[in-house]
Amino acid sequence: MLLSFRFANHRSFRDEHQLNLTPVYGDGASADEPAPQAVQVVGIFGANASGKSNCLGALAFMRQTVVESDRAVEPGLGLHREPFGLDPEFATQPSRYVVDLLLGGVRHTYGFTIDDDRVLEEWLYHYPVGRRRRVFERDGDTFSWGEETGRRNDLEQIAGITAPTALFLSTVARFGHSRPQSDPADPQPLHDTYRWFYLMGQVTDPTPGLSALIRIGQSDADEARRLAVDLLQAADVGVVDVVVLSDPADDHSAWAESSTQGMRARVKKAMAGARRPPVILFAHQGPHGLALLDLQNQSTGTQRLLTLGLHAATMLRTGATMLIDEIDASLHPVLTAKLVSLFRSPQANPLGSQLIFTSHDAALLGTLDGEEILRRDEIWFVEKDDEGASSLYPLTDFKPRKEGENRQRRYLNGNYGAVPNLSTDLFEQALAKPLHFRRPDHRRATR
């Protein structure tokens, strides 16, 4: 579980900023349940090009570096990073990334500092009895170990082969120091921290989500197919079933005999080539029975819903953190709100998965069926200043209005900032200005 994320000198974020997931209000828990130690959902709002995606991208970059740094960088080529690019002075300054995590009921703090050439600093602490205990600290090529760090000789050997451009956490995971068993008497801060990063998911395009239907074992694939069907039927997008033709040589007579001639032809066509990749088809109810359509013939919203739904199901099963940039893209606000509510529901999210997303949809700041879609401490804003640097701040910086707070209206009115500073006159002039294209002079061209 993510408690906070701090980062500095990443894309449009010049100075250090913190995304703090610690609850501000305690009314989210019942009298019989302890107050949560971190919110399950965070929504980040802001104008176009304000830096919302960069905030999410900073956490995704940290995850990618942890998982891949030991093998993704060739020796002598330095590190790939994206510092604040509008100030030459900051372009050469280090970038810094730090997370506070709650793993197995114990707080962990992990972070690193990098520049274009190497890892400058790296550290991991945990707090098993409420006090900070060092697991390891790294200053360049020099490592320091905690007194209680187990298998110290093994760690020192792995530290000796850790490349300057690789994180120690990545290298130690690759060489299998961390043990998967969970024993309270034998804590595994290295393994637990790496695992949190490894399980984190970022939704980018439909392919990874849809591949869950065909890339895993048969029983799991069938479970994913049933989930996809339930999800699409619940969203009322017109899909009544999902057919996965995993082996063209299989006899799909049940589908062929129970449908129209046109659908039988589609099934036979999909089965025609031997050893073709699995085919996913979507059954729609037509005027003359069921009709099968491929993914390209589904609406953008259907594809997006299916992708987000399958990703969310995976995250909810593992207790992982899910990142979604522009969660509202191609989705109706009601569907977006329902997806968000899954992570806020103890029944749907018993393992404490978290959802961090960006959005332009002010409707998510309001209510649905009389309930808040997002609480005040789940709402953050990003705004860019006159020097092009982004800043991140929470809604809780603003006092709630005593007579009631229409967040959606107040946000659109600019009371919280993070909205476009649009000049209506200049906007109209720019769009109304005629474009004059110079015609080529054919006579001159032929001389």
Side-chain angles (χ1 to χ4, degrees):
M1 177 179 289
L2 179 64
L3 301 177
S4 72
F5 171 53
R6 288 173 283 144
F7 61 104
N9 200 16
H10 181 89
R11 293 182 65 86
S12 63
F13 286 89
R14 178 184 57 194
D15 307 313
E16 182 173 276
H17 287 273
Q18 180 180 32
L19 183 66
N20 191 346
L21 282 73
T22 304
V24 176
Y25 308 103
D27 55 359
S30 66
D32 299 329
E33 297 178 353
Q37 294 179 289
V39 297
Q40 306 303 125
V41 176
V42 168
I44 304 173
F45 299 82
N48 293 98
S50 61
K52 299 186 306 299
S53 299
N54 293 338
C55 178
L56 216 62
L59 184 54
F61 173 81
M62 187 180 188
R63 185 259 178 196
Q64 181 181 13
T65 306
V66 168
V67 174
E68 301 179 0
S69 69
D70 63 307
R71 58 188 182 276
V73 181
E74 294 295 330
L77 296 183
L79 285 167
H80 171 72
R81 66 180 182 119
E82 296 182 86
F84 184 72
L86 300 183
D87 188 338
E89 179 181 348
F90 273 83
T92 60
Q93 296 297 313
S95 298
R96 183 181 177 92
Y97 306 86
V98 187
V99 291
D100 279 299
L101 307 172
L102 188 67
L103 306 174
V106 177
R107 179 187 166 197
H108 294 63
T109 299
Y110 172 75
F112 57 83
T113 303
I114 60 174
D115 62 12
D116 293 333
D117 299 319
R118 61 166 302 143
V119 177
L120 302 175
E121 297 175 304
E122 186 182 4
W123 60 93
L124 174 61
Y125 307 107
H126 66 150
Y127 303 75
V129 291
R131 292 185 177 182
R132 190 179 82 171
R133 292 183 178 176
R134 178 176 61 187
V135 179
F136 77 91
E137 292 176 345
R138 173 186 184 181
D139 184 0
D141 296 324
T142 302
F143 286 79
S144 302
W145 314 102
E147 295 180 358
E148 300 179 359
T149 302
R151 301 178 66 179
R152 180 167 175 173
N153 291 336
D154 292 346
L155 292 179
E156 289 177 344
Q157 291 181 7
I158 296 174
I161 61 173
T162 300
T165 54
L167 295 174
F168 176 71
L169 187 63
S170 309
T171 309
V172 79
R174 179 181 179 185
F175 285 93
H177 163 76
S178 54
R179 301 180 294 280
Q181 64 267 26
S182 178
D183 182 1
D186 184 22
Q188 295 291 309
L190 289 165
H191 169 266
D192 294 343
T193 303
Y194 180 85
R195 184 176 183 271
W196 183 85
F197 281 104
Y198 182 81
L199 293 177
M200 184 194 302
Q202 182 179 23
V203 177
T204 52
D205 59 74
T207 304
L210 297 177
S211 65
L213 295 170
I214 58 178
R215 67 178 170 82
I216 49 183
Q218 183 59 43
S219 60
D220 290 336
D222 189 58
E223 182 182 351
R225 188 198 68 80
R226 290 196 301 270
L227 172 64
V229 173
D230 293 343
L231 182 68
L232 296 174
Q233 288 182 345
D236 192 26
V237 295
V239 176
V240 297
D241 204 351
V242 177
V243 182
V244 181
L245 304 182
S246 57
D247 187 348
D250 286 346
D251 180 15
H252 294 278
S253 57
W255 268 98
E257 295 301 328
S258 64
S259 56
T260 63
Q261 181 177 358
M263 194 178 76
R264 287 199 297 270
R266 289 181 181 273
V267 173
K268 291 179 179 179
K269 182 178 180 181
M271 297 167 55
R275 298 300 178 186
R276 289 184 177 180
V279 177
I280 302 175
L281 299 174
F282 299 83
H284 292 255
Q285 183 66 51
H288 305 292
L290 294 177
L292 289 180
L293 303 175
D294 59 18
L295 177 64
Q296 287 68 34
N297 283 304
Q298 306 307 309
S299 71
T300 304
T302 298
Q303 295 183 39
R304 177 73 168 171
L305 174 65
L306 188 57
T307 299
L308 294 182
L310 292 173
H311 273 281
T314 301
M315 299 295 103
L316 292 169
R317 288 194 188 99
T318 59
T321 299
M322 183 176 184
L323 310 180
I324 305 179
D325 193 19
E326 296 188 6
I327 191 174
D328 53 295
S330 303
L331 281 187
H332 192 279
V334 173
L335 291 179
T336 307
K338 289 297 184 183
L339 179 64
V340 170
S341 69
L342 289 177
F343 287 82
R344 299 188 65 200
S345 167
Q347 291 74 32
N349 186 15
L351 298 181
S353 295
Q354 291 172 295
L355 170 64
I356 305 175
F357 67 88
T358 69
S359 177
H360 295 106
D361 190 355
L364 297 177
L365 300 173
T367 61
L368 180 65
D369 296 332
E371 301 230 351
E372 294 178 334
I373 300 173
L374 294 170
R375 292 176 12 150
R376 296 191 93 248
D377 51 4
E378 297 171 340
I379 299 171
W380 287 71
F381 301 107
V382 173
E383 190 171 53
K384 192 174 282 187
D385 63 22
D386 295 337
E387 296 180 349
S390 297
S391 59
L392 175 69
Y393 56 94
L395 175 62
T396 53
D397 281 355
F398 301 85
K399 293 183 179 180
R401 309 192 89 174
K402 295 182 180 179
E403 66 274 14
E405 185 179 33
N406 187 329
R407 299 173 198 158
Q408 180 179 356
R409 183 177 62 193
R410 286 175 59 79
Y411 171 63
L412 293 177
N413 286 339
N415 295 89
Y416 306 133
V419 293
N421 185 16
L422 183 65
S423 171
T424 303
D425 293 338
L426 293 178
F427 195 74
E428 292 177 352
Q429 292 176 20
L431 294 181
K433 185 181 298 183
L435 298 177
H436 300 285
F437 294 98
R438 183 177 180 181
R439 293 184 178 182
D441 191 337
H442 296 289
R443 292 174 300 176
R444 181 178 300 175
T446 56
R447 288 179 183 175

